[in-house]
Amino acid sequence: MLKIHNTLSQKNEVFAPRHKKRVNLFVCGPTVYDFSHLGHARTYIAFDMIASYLKSLGYKVFYLQNITDLDDKIIDRAKQENVSWQELSNKFEAEYLRDIKALGISSVKKYAKATKYIKEIVSQVKKLIEKGYAYKLEDGIYYDISRFKDYGKLAKRTFAQAEDAVSRVDEAVGKRNKGDFSLWKYSKQGEPSWPFGSRRSLGVKVGRPGWHIEDTAITEKHFGPQYDIHGGAQDLIFPHHEAEISQMEAISGKKPLVKYWMHTGFLTVGGQKMSKSLGNFITIRDFLKDNPARLLRMIVLKSHYRSPIDYNKKILSQTKKELERIDEFVEKLKRSDSPNINIGKQSFKILNFKKRFLEAMEDDFNTPTALAAIFQLIGKGNLLLDKGKLTKTNAAEIIKFLKETDKIFKFIFWGKRPVSLIPEMIKNLAEEREIARKNSDWRKADSLRMKILEMGYNIDDTKRGPVLKKIRI
Ligand code: AMP
């Protein structure tokens, strides 16, 4: 029985979608004014795993993601680069989709561009005005948070606490409450603008949507006023997701807008969130110049989706070794030609590992524990392979199971790995290191090991002596 941690209840709840086997999932997409970085990748890889796992359980998943193709950042950047906002956002939307494809993310069924939903946005703002939740100021239309009595229920903030957090774009003179947010901004000279409906414009001027309204307009159009899962990283809980609840529940009178709210932890650098504004980011594009996508997928999935991941050299090299271990095992399995008979007492049961894997995934998508089950399987499999006790049937069962897990994780290498010859120079260094070790010159031995590592080779000190391996990841 799958359980999901719901930010709204702050509990792990049994997953029961609104329409039996159909799941409507919405995840906040990017604002397309620049290349995406590893922080974005963290969130999108996590939700790809979640959607893929739900599919493996037999759910029909409609995974919808918005693309914010118009906001202040896009307008400012377009001005700086002397191009139109459409040119800029079209370019970075295409770049984003290229990165997503390169990362093996294939579960999103529809990308919805905000500016394609102006009609739906206008209709929502009109309803909010008519119901008395929205009011007009000099520069646009605002949502009156004091009118919505559940305001703060997602972020667990009281009305007063919510008042203290005003997002940059929503500062204006004359707001009724400090926390009131923008629904419709009147456009300044030269800025993109749309009419506020054709017939009943309610005296509202031409303008463009506020930040939060695009998502509820998009989800209402595709899912209706209520749906199953809404995701994003933790920074979006407040004010963004809180605002979405206030808008949609006020319009429809139905609650909850979303049955399960899911939020990913941050990818950090030295403990700080990776972000454009801090300048501590690595673009997905740059990462993929030097590394395969599966390395990033494994870095992301070996942590629980709600935990932070600190990105550094150590996690890179550690994960490379772990991937190498899986690859080697798969290769051995493929080569394994032990007969199916004469292995004495059958001591290998794939079901035990499958059970551990599934139990972990059912526990709020606990990928680190699911991955630990895979590594236990590799440990046991290697032991039996070394003793010649893993039958061909066992090997086939393991490969089948790993392929199933890899439809969700997508980081195992299934191709043929090239045979690599160890260069003489590396062999000589390794011999030198052995001599140093025999002479108990540990410093020299360590420094030679580092040198060999830097040249792309690993030394395993086995009972049979040191074994050199090329690092292939
Ligand atoms: P943005 O384009 O900044 O709106 O971000 C798109 C998505 O990526 C949102 O769900 C963000 O919360 C998420 N995101 C941005 N930075 C990070 C990070 N460092 N770690 C995890 N998720 C992030």
Side-chain angles (χ1 to χ4, degrees):
M1 204 166 28
L2 172 63
K3 286 192 174 166
I4 296 186
H5 184 86
N6 189 352
T7 311
L8 188 63
S9 66
Q10 311 223 296
K11 288 195 184 100
N12 285 14
E13 296 175 14
V14 172
F15 183 57
R18 298 174 51 80
H19 304 283
K20 285 194 181 137
K21 277 293 184 190
R22 215 177 74 214
V23 177
N24 285 336
L25 160 69
F26 177 77
V27 175
C28 285
T31 305
V32 282
Y33 68 101
D34 207 339
F35 287 102
S36 302
H37 57 65
L38 301 186
H40 300 125
R42 192 268 154 101
T43 289
Y44 298 128
I45 290 172
F47 280 103
D48 185 54
M49 171 277 291
I50 287 165
S52 305
Y53 182 62
L54 290 173
K55 280 186 197 165
S56 80
L57 295 181
Y59 289 108
K60 244 182 124 191
V61 182
F62 185 169
Y63 180 174
L64 175 67
Q65 202 178 98
N66 69 309
I67 302 265
T68 302
D69 60 340
L70 178 67
D71 86 337
D72 290 350
K73 281 184 244 164
I74 295 176
I75 295 174
D76 292 348
R77 181 65 63 90
K79 261 189 217 151
Q80 279 166 24
E81 300 198 358
N82 216 7
V83 292
S84 71
W85 65 269
Q86 290 101 325
E87 256 176 278
L88 187 93
S89 63
N90 282 341
K91 172 180 159 125
F92 284 108
E93 181 194 354
E95 299 294 5
Y96 170 71
L97 295 176
R98 233 179 95 190
D99 286 343
I100 286 296
K101 194 166 171 213
L103 291 176
I105 295 174
S106 54
S107 49
V108 181
K109 193 166 163 203
K110 181 165 181 69
Y111 290 100
K113 263 162 87 141
T115 57
K116 294 246 154 72
Y117 292 79
I118 299 290
K119 194 172 93 197
E120 289 78 9
I121 290 169
V122 166
S123 153
Q124 288 204 340
V125 180
K126 273 186 181 166
K127 280 186 199 139
L128 288 169
I129 298 175
E130 282 161 1
K131 288 190 159 204
Y133 287 94
Y135 60 95
K136 292 175 212 162
L137 285 183
E138 279 284 290
D139 64 344
I141 311 288
Y142 287 81
Y143 187 99
D144 181 345
I145 59 169
S146 68
R147 292 274 295 115
F148 186 67
K149 69 173 177 23
D150 279 348
Y151 192 75
K153 70 175 171 182
L154 181 70
K156 315 292 168 222
R157 295 187 192 221
T158 61
F159 182 78
Q161 285 169 328
E163 284 279 273
D164 291 337
V166 187
S167 67
R168 153 188 63 80
V169 287
D170 294 341
E171 281 171 44
V173 185
K175 283 203 306 188
R176 292 184 188 162
N177 312 284
K178 211 169 143 201
D180 289 355
F181 53 85
S182 160
L183 294 166
W184 184 257
K185 295 152 176 268
Y186 297 153
S187 298
K188 296 186 199 115
Q189 188 78 39
E191 275 185 359
S193 66
W194 286 265
F196 194 75
S198 47
R199 269 185 278 139
R200 284 185 317 129
S201 71
L202 303 169
V204 177
K205 291 187 233 163
V206 295
R208 57 191 170 98
W211 177 30
H212 314 296
I213 197 86
E214 70 178 82
D215 289 353
T216 46
I218 290 170
T219 55
E220 189 187 13
K221 161 117 181 173
H222 293 287
F223 298 158
Q226 292 179 291
Y227 58 99
D228 301 301
I229 306 177
H230 188 325
Q234 279 160 9
D235 55 340
L236 297 187
I237 297 174
F238 193 89
H240 188 48
H241 291 163
E242 195 71 61
E244 284 189 44
I245 292 177
S246 321
Q247 292 167 169
M248 199 61 233
E249 292 187 6
I251 292 170
S252 70
K254 290 182 182 157
K255 62 183 178 184
L257 159 65
V258 169
K259 205 163 173 195
Y260 306 92
W261 283 93
M262 298 183 72
H263 292 100
T264 48
F266 293 141
L267 185 108
T268 58
V269 182
Q272 273 193 313
K273 181 188 172 202
M274 180 177 279
S275 72
K276 287 267 156 62
S277 51
L278 290 172
N280 60 353
F281 63 91
I282 298 172
T283 61
I284 298 172
R285 198 61 56 86
D286 279 347
F287 178 91
L288 293 180
K289 276 184 198 148
D290 303 323
N291 304 285
R294 65 198 190 99
L295 180 61
L296 188 58
R297 290 191 70 98
M298 186 158 178
I299 289 175
V300 169
L301 297 175
K302 70 190 219 176
S303 287
H304 189 268
Y305 76 88
R306 285 191 283 124
S307 307
I309 300 171
D310 204 44
Y311 181 80
N312 49 43
K313 273 192 183 159
K314 197 166 151 219
I315 200 169
L316 262 179
S317 59
Q318 182 68 31
T319 312
K320 279 182 186 174
K321 276 193 215 151
E322 287 157 356
L323 267 187
E324 180 86 15
R325 184 148 182 249
I326 302 179
D327 289 353
E328 270 177 15
F329 180 61
V330 168
E331 200 163 76
K332 274 202 241 168
L333 285 177
K334 287 202 265 182
R335 280 201 314 258
S336 148
D337 56 359
S338 306
N340 266 335
I341 43 163
N342 193 24
I343 51 158
K345 205 161 154 256
Q346 171 64 277
S347 59
F348 177 80
K349 288 204 172 58
I350 190 82
L351 271 181
N352 292 343
F353 298 97
K354 278 189 179 173
K355 195 163 161 271
R356 273 179 235 173
F357 180 88
L358 286 176
E359 275 171 5
M361 292 301 286
E362 286 190 343
D363 178 18
D364 190 29
F365 309 95
N366 193 334
T367 52
T369 306
L371 198 54
I374 291 181
F375 278 112
Q376 282 159 2
L377 167 65
I378 293 175
K380 178 83 182 180
N382 271 329
L383 207 73
L384 293 174
L385 275 168
D386 287 350
K387 291 184 188 162
K389 284 191 169 177
L390 196 92
T391 66
K392 259 186 166 174
T393 311
N394 293 153
E397 280 173 345
I398 298 175
I399 289 186
K400 188 164 174 261
F401 170 57
L402 288 179
K403 283 197 166 154
E404 279 161 21
T405 68
D406 211 42
K407 281 188 193 150
I408 302 160
F409 289 172
K410 308 182 200 167
F411 51 57
I412 299 179
F413 181 72
W414 293 103
K416 204 169 159 47
R417 297 178 355 131
V419 185
S420 72
L421 295 172
I422 311 284
E424 276 311 303
M425 187 179 41
I426 304 288
K427 282 192 203 158
N428 292 341
L429 287 172
E431 264 169 37
E432 227 185 287
R433 174 177 170 268
E434 264 317 279
I435 295 166
R437 266 159 52 95
K438 283 194 182 122
N439 295 333
S440 304
D441 188 349
W442 307 117
R443 251 175 110 172
K444 185 169 178 192
D446 276 351
S447 108
L448 284 164
R449 165 178 246 163
M450 277 313 291
K451 199 164 170 185
I452 293 169
L453 207 65
E454 277 161 18
M455 294 170 94
Y457 291 81
N458 212 350
I459 304 187
D460 256 355
D461 290 314
T462 70
K463 279 184 195 146
R464 287 168 283 126
V467 177
L468 276 166
K469 282 182 195 157
K470 182 162 174 46
I471 302 170
R472 298 179 210 231
I473 311 299

